[in-house]
Amino acid sequence: MSDHSEADPAPYAEVETVLCDEFAGIHSATTVTRCVEAAHYGALEVTGYAHPSLVERIARKHLHVLALVASERG
């Protein structure tokens, strides 16, 4: 029996690649991965399903907010 609570990284590899490219020079790959993971679990918690496009949108919002905070700290 499989455990549906574990993240399957394959569906989000492309999301991570897109966001790493988009936020290159702003966020490290580690930060992008952490945001994608947080988005995955957040989507599961709220909607019960984490489609890659939803995870990408949520992670992108997280990364924008982190960039804004970093720029304000200066």
Side-chain angles (χ1 to χ4, degrees):
M1 183 191 248
S2 68
D3 181 4
H4 293 288
S5 64
E6 273 190 42
D8 180 6
Y12 306 112
E14 186 175 329
V15 170
E16 286 188 36
T17 299
V18 167
L19 293 175
C20 278
D21 290 346
E22 184 174 334
F23 288 93
I26 300 168
H27 296 302
S28 68
T30 302
T31 299
V32 172
T33 298
R34 289 175 57 201
C35 286
V36 169
E37 289 172 354
H40 165 82
Y41 288 112
L44 282 178
E45 184 79 20
V46 173
T47 67
Y49 185 67
H51 190 275
S53 66
L54 177 60
V55 170
E56 182 177 346
R57 288 191 317 239
I58 295 168
R60 183 175 283 112
K61 295 281 185 187
H62 290 178
L63 292 163
H64 279 295
V65 169
L66 288 174
L68 179 64
V69 169
S71 73
E72 288 179 353
R73 288 184 182 168

